[in-house]
Amino acid sequence: MIELSQTEIEHIQHEMTLYEDPGAATIEALKIVQEHRGWVSDEAMEAAAKVVGVTPTQMEAVATFYNLIFRQPVGRHVIMLCDSISCYLVGYEQVRDHLKTTLGIDFGGTTEDGRFTLLPICCLGDCDRGPAMRVGEVYHDQLTPERVDAILAEYP
Amino acid sequence: MAHITIDGREYDVDDTENLLAVALSKGFDLPYFCWHPELHSVGACRQCAVKSYRNDEDEKGMVVMACMTPCSDGGRFEIDDEEAAEMRAQVIEWLMTNHPHDCPVCEEGGECHLQDMTLMTGHTQRRYRGAKRTHTNQDLGPFINHEMNRCIACYRCVRYYRDYADGDDLRALGSHNNVYFGRERDGAFDNEFSGNLVEVCPTGVFTDKTLGAHYNRKWDMQNAPGICTHCSLGCNTSPGSRQGVLKRIQNRFHGEINHYFLCDRGRFGAGFVNRDDRPRQPLVRNADGVLEPRDMDAMRATMEEVLAATTGMIGVGSPRASLEDNYALRNLVGADFFTTGMSAHDQAASLAGKAALEAHAERIATLREVESCDAVLVLGEDVTQTAPRVALSLRQARRNRHLELAAQNKIPKWHARAVRDIGQYNNSPIFSATTQATRLDDIVIEPQRLRPDGIAELGFAIAHALDNTAPAVKQLDDDTQALVDSIAATLKGAKKPLIVAGTSLGDPAIVHAANNAMKALAAANAEARLFVTFAEANSLGLAMMDAPDIEQAFTAIENGTADTLVVMQNCLYERAPKARVDAVVKKAKNVIVMDHSLNRTVGEAATHVLPAGSFAEADGTLVNNEGRAQRFFQVFIPDAPMQEGWRWAADLADVAGRDPEWAGMDDIIDAIVADYPALAGIKDAAPSQSFRKFGMRFPRSPHRYAARTALYANVNVRERRPTVDADSPLSYSMEGYYGEGQPPSTLAFAWSPGWDSNQAAITRFQDEVGGHLKGGDPGTRLITPGTDTAFAPADVTRVDGWQAVPMYHIFGSESQSARAEAIAERMPEPVFRVNAEGAKTLGITPGNDLSLTIDGETHAFPLDVDPSLPDQTIAVPVGMHGVCGVRLPVGVEPK
Amino acid sequence: MEQTKVLTQRIRDDRAPVWIDDYINEGGYEALNKALSDYGPTEVGPLIKEAGLRGRGGAGFPTGVKWSFMPRFEDRPDERPKHVYLVVNADEMEPGTFKDRMIMEGDPHQLIEGMIIAAYAIGADMAYVFIRGEYVECQKNLQRAIDEAHAKGYLGDDILGSGFNLKIYLHMSAGRYICGEESALLSALEGRRAVPRHKPPFPAASGLFGQPTTVNNVETICNVPHIVKNGVEWYKSLGHNKDGGTKIFGASGHVAKPGLAEFGLGVKLGDVLEHFGGIRNGRKLKGLLPGGGSTPFLTPEHLDTPMDYDGVGAAGSRLGTATMIVFDDQTPIVGVLKNLEHFYAQESCGWCTPCRDGLPWVEKMLIGLEEGRGQPGDIELLDLHVKLLGPGKTFCAHAPGAMGPLEAGLKYYRDELSALIPDDATTLSLTQAANANPL
Ligand SMILES: Cc1cc2nc3c(=O)[nH]c(=O)nc-3n(C[C@H](O)[C@H](O)[C@H](O)COP(=O)(O)O)c2cc1C
Ligand code: SF4
Ligand code: FES
C-alpha cells in the first residue's frame, strides 16, 4: 500500500469540495494521480480510492471506462493521434504509418527507451487543421511525416 | 387500473406496472434479460421488444421495450409482431457474437436463461464471422466460479450486487464491447449475499463452485422442498441431490420470506451433509474410548440391555431439530424428562421473544413486510451475522424513501435507475444499537454502540418517549435523551415503523424493551411491525414445546435422578461450559446420541451413537422466527441404517416397550397436535402424506431426469423401482403431477415449458410475477395473541467493569454450516476485540494474545482493536474456535 | 458571402482570448445588468422561447421550452432542493466539430455571461462546465474568466446586488464521446461511468445528483446574452428563414479553406461551401456530413439546401453541430463509413446490446468490404443494422447517430459498396469464413 503525496491528497480533497457528493471527485482523483505519476497503478488507485471514500472496485469501474486514464505505465510523452473522420480525410493514415515505423511501436505500445507511448484518440476538435495529434497536453496539427519528425525531436 | 390490449386480448391491469411484468403475469412468453422482478427495469438488453400502438388509428406502431413501457390506459401492444420478433431474434444474434457456445461444458446448461431466450426468439443461424473477444477470469473465492467469456452484459449482476445488496466489490469495468464484470482484483466477494449471483446471472458467468465440485445437470437432480436450517428465518430452499450426495442449495421462492434470495450461509452451508466423518453406522464406545460400529441386530440387543438397566432417562432435545424429532424424543423419555436442549439464557431470551410475538401477534413482520417499512429501529441484533437474510430486507426498507421521492416526481416504481438516482442521498431512517460495528452501519443513522444493558435501556427510553405510561429508565444524559426523542419522533411519524430485536445477546431485557417500544407504537399505528430473531432454526418451535431448558437435564444427572442422557441432534458443548459438560458426561452412565454430524458430543461424550438423517435425509417441521410452521421434505433416502431422528427415537421407544406405532409423518404430527393444541397449525403446513392430486404424487425430479437406469449402475444396471415415500405425498422420481395446481409446499423445483432457469420458471407458479405463490405461500402462522398486555418493567442487568460480549460471524458461528468446507474457508481468524483505550488498559499490543477466562473457560486469542466497542467491553468470537457453550454477555476479569 | 458575426464578433483572428476589460469595453456584461435589473427570474425564459433559440448541441431542441420544464420554487421556497443546476455541455467530441473550442478559447466571458443569465432564468445556484479532457486551453481561459468575473461581482453571492447567487465550476472530462449525451454527462459529473439515463425523467425533474438540472451546449448559452441585450426582433432578423439567429458553421476535410464562420441560419449550403473555398485541388464534391459525424450525408444535389433545422431535415439529414465534413469525388465511401463506424463502435458505452455488439459487427463488415473480403448478403446485413439500431431500439441516441451516415451511405452509394464484394465471393460456412477471412 502506497501513500499519495500531500499535494495529491490536498488537490483531491479540494476537488471533493466542489461537488454535492464528494465521491463525485472520483474522476478528478484519477486524473490528479495520473498527473503526478504518469499513470495510475493499482496501488495508487487504492490510495486515491481511500481519499475519495470509495472502494477500489468502484474506482476501477470508472478508471477503465474513460479514455484518458492510463492503467498501465506509459512513456514520458504520450502521443495521441486523432483517428477520426476529418483527419482521416486529410492524411491520417500516412501520419499513423509514419509514426508507427519511426517509433517502432503499434498503437498501445511504448518505445523501449520509455520515451513515447502511441495511442489513437477520437476527434481532437482540431478538424480544420488535421491531421492532428497531441503530445502530452500540446496540440500539433497539419501533420506530415516531415513535421512529425521535427515535432518528435522536441521531446527528449 | 388500465385497460390494455396484448396480442388482441384485453386486460384490466395495474397501471403502476410496466408492460413486461404484466405480460409475464398474464402468461405470455416474452423474452428478457436485464429485467428481474426484484431489480426492475433499466432497458439495457433490448430483448423485450414489442410493438406499441398509440391508439386505434395508429397502424404503423413503434417498437418499444416492454420493460420500460408503462401500462397506460388504452395501450395496444403486439408481442406477436414481425418487426418486434425480428428485433428480439437479432438481440440474441448480437449477444451471441462473442458468447463461447460452450453449453456442453457449461454448468448453467439446462437451466440457462440465455438458452431459453435463444430458443424463444427463434434465433438459429449465426451470421457473424468475426473472431470472439476473450477475457481472463477471476478467482472469486470458495463460493462462486467466474467465466466471463459467457457474459452477455445484461448488467443484472451489478444491479443485484450493488444496487440491491449494496455490495461494493463487483462492478462493470471497461466499456463498449469490452465490458467486464468483476472485482478490481482476485478475491472472495465481500458481500454476504453474493451467492444469489449464481441465480441472477442469466447464463454461466457466475456459477456455484460447490456444485461444480461434484457437478450434475439440473435435470439429473432429485430435489425436495427444503427449509434452511442455518438461522431462525426459515428461508425456503430447494436442495438438489444425486446418488445420495447433496449437490447444491437453490433458492425456493417464498412470497413472504426469502422470495428470490438467500444468504451465503444458507446457500453454501449444506456441505456438512456430505462429510466423510459423519456417523453412518450405529456406534458404541468401547473400553478404550473408541466408537465401534455395530450392525442393527447387535445394536438392538445393546440398546435393550442399556434401557433395561437404566435408572432413568433424561432427554436433550434440540432447537435445530424438527418438532417431530423432538417430540419423538419426548415420547421416548416421557414428557417430564424432556428438555429443550437450549441453554438457560438462550431459553429465557427465546421465551421473552415468544412472549413479545404473542403480545403483537397481528403485527409480526414477515421478511417481505420488513421491506415495506419506512422507519426501523434495530435493538441489539447484528442481523447480518445472526439472521442474515433480514439484513438484505432492511437494505430494501431504506429504499422506501427513494420510492416516495420517485412517486412525488411521477417516476414509476419499476424505473430502477431513475428511482436510484433521485433517491441516492435520501434513505428511510434506520436506527440501530449494537454492541459493536455491524455490516449494516452504512445505512444506519448514527449507529449506537452500547453494552447489552445500555441497548435495553435505550429501547426502554424510546418506549417511554413514545408513551409516557411505559416505564422510564434512569436519567439519561442530554445527548442520549435527544437521540431517544428523535428516534421516537421518527418512528411515530412513520407510516409503517418496524422494531427489530433478537435473542443473540442472550439478554431478555432487550426483547422486553422492543416489546415495550412496540406496544407504545402500536397504540397509535396499526401498521407498526415487530420482527424478532431467534438463535436457531427451531428455537421458537422448542420454546412452544413448553419444556425446561437443558439445565434440568444436567441437574438430573448430577443429582442422580437419571443416569442416561438421550440427545437428539444437539451438542452439549454448545450449551454449557466444557468443564460442566465433562462432569455431567462423566457422571452419566449412558449418553445416547442421535445425530448426523461428528460434533464434540458424538466424538467425545457419546456412549452410543445412532446415525440420524440430516435435513436432507428427513422430513420435519420447523417454526421460524415469525412463528410460521414449515415442512421440509427428504431430498434423498440415506443409506440404511441411517434414518430420521424421530424413527430412531421411535425404535428406541419400541425397545423400551413404549412403541408409539407411528407409521409415518401423519401419525407423529397427529400425536404432536393432540399433545400441543398450540401447534395444531403444523398439520396444515403441508399436505398429509396421503394427499394426492388426481391420484398422483408430486415429483422430486424434473421430467427429463436422465439415466435413471445408470444411476445405480455401480450396484445394479436394472432400473430400480422408485422407492415409495411413506412420509409425504412426494415421489422419488419424475412421475406424478407437476404444475400450477400443486400445493406450493410440495414444489420441489421450478420448471415450466420454455423456462428452465429457477428464477424465471417460478413465474408460472406465482399469482403475479414476483408476487405470491398460487395457492398461498407455504407454512402456517402459529402465534396466537397472548393475554399479557402490560408493559414490561424497565429492568436491566448491569455488569460493572469488564464485560465479554459475543461477536457472531455469518461464516462460523453456526455450527452445522461451519462444517461445510466452503464456509469453513471463509471463517474469520479468532481474535478478541477491544477499543484502543481497552488495549492500552490491558497493556497488550494488538496482535499479541490475550488470555481470557469466560464463564469458567479460558481462551487465548490475539487482541484486535475495534474502535466501535464500548469501554471495557471485549468482543468474543462465538460458536467457533472452541468458544461454545459459554454464557455471554458475562462479566470478566482480564489480566 | 458576408459573415454575420454575433457570437464570434469579438474573437480575434489569432484567437487570443478577450479578457474582462476588453470584453466589457466591447459591450460585455451589459446583458447581465439588463437581465438582473429589467427582468424577474421567470421572465428571461419566455424571452428566449420567443426568440426561437434552438439547442446548438445537435438535437436542436427549443431552449426556452427546455428551461420552462424546470420546477420553480419562488412561491414555495421551503421545497427548494439543496441545489438547482445549470450544466454546460462543452464535451465537443462529435467528429468534425470544433466550434465550442473556439468560443471558449477566444471569448470565455461570453460563455460566463451567458451562464449567469441562464442560471438566473432557470433558478440555478450552481453551474458546471463539462469540458472535454483535451481542451486544456479552454479550461485555463474559462478559469481565468471565472476569477475575473468573481472579482467584478458578476459571480458569487448577491450578484450585482440582485440577491442572486451563483457558483461556476469546471469539470474536465476523462474522455469519452458518450459524455456529450446530456444524461451520460450527468453520470460523469457524479463521478460515475458515463452511462446514459432513460428519459423520462428528464434532467429538469431528476438531473445532477437527482436534482433539477438543465443541460445546454456552449454555443446555445452564448446566444443568450445577445438575445437579452438586443431583443427578440433583432435576433429573429439575423436568420434567413424562420429559425432566428446565427450559427457557427465549420468545414473540414477536402475543402480549400477549412475553418469556422458565422452565418444567419438558413444560409444556403452551397454558399457556406463556397465560403470555405469549395473543394480543394480542383476536385468535385462527392458528399458531406452537414453537422458532425452522426448526420446523414448530403450530396451535390443538395447544395441549395437552406442550412437551418427544418431545411436540412427536409434534405434527409440534420443540421447537427453545423460543422461539416466534406469529401471529394476520389474518396472511397467505404473508408469514410469504416472510419465513422469505428469511432461509434469504440465510443459505445457498452450499456445496451444493439449498440455494444451491433456496431463492432458493422465496423468489421465495412473493413471486410474495404479489404475485398465481403460476401453476398453483407449489404443486406448492413441494412438490417440500420433498421434495428434506429431510434427507440437502442437505449440512447448514440447508435441511431452512428446509423445516420450508414443509412445515407447505403442509399447514395449503394452500387459503389456492392461492387466491393468480389464477383466470385460466395457465402462461406462459418468455419470456412473464419479460416479464410475472419472479419
Ligand atoms: C452520443 C451523443 C453525443 C453528444 N455529444 C454532445 C456534445 O459533445 N456536445 C453537446 O453540446 N451536445 C452533445 N449531444 C447532445 C446533448 O445530448 C444535448 O442534447 C445537448 O447538450 C443539449 O444542449 P442544447 O439543447 O443546448 O443543444 C450529444 C448527444 C448524443 C446522443
Ligand atoms: S446506444 Fe446503448 S450502448 Fe450505445 S451509447 Fe447509447 S446506451 Fe450506450
Ligand atoms: S477529425 Fe481530427 S481533429 Fe477533428
Side-chain angles (χ1 to χ4, degrees), chain A residues 82 84-87 123-127, chain C residues 96:
Chain A
C82 171
S84 291
I85 185 69
S86 304
C87 293
C123 181
L124 284 170
D126 205 18
C127 318

Side-chain angles (χ1 to χ4, degrees), chain A residues 84-152:
Chain A
S84 291
I85 185 69
S86 304
C87 293
Y88 169 83
L89 288 170
V90 295
Y92 151 76
E93 285 174 325
Q94 202 191 354
V95 174
R96 173 197 65 196
D97 294 347
H98 182 73
L99 269 169
K100 285 189 182 177
T101 356
T102 315
L103 300 174
I105 51 175
D106 207 338
F107 278 139
T110 299
T111 53
E112 251 168 52
D113 57 6
R115 192 165 144 220
F116 290 111
T117 294
L118 180 62
L119 296 173
I121 188 93
C122 42
C123 181
L124 284 170
D126 205 18
C127 318
D128 52 341
R129 300 163 63 84
M133 68 178 185
R134 247 162 65 104
V135 182
E137 288 192 349
V138 182
Y139 274 72
H140 298 278
D141 43 29
Q142 295 181 322
L143 300 174
T144 57
E146 298 71 42
R147 259 185 64 68
V148 165
D149 289 340
I151 292 164
L152 293 186

Side-chain angles (χ1 to χ4, degrees), chain C residues 55-57 66 89 92-93 177 180-182 215-217 220 397:
Chain C
R56 305 294 196 236
K66 189 189 268 189
N89 189 342
E92 192 158 79
M93 281 180 76
Y177 172 62
E181 197 284 330
E182 62 178 5
V215 183
N216 275 124
N217 171 257
T220 314

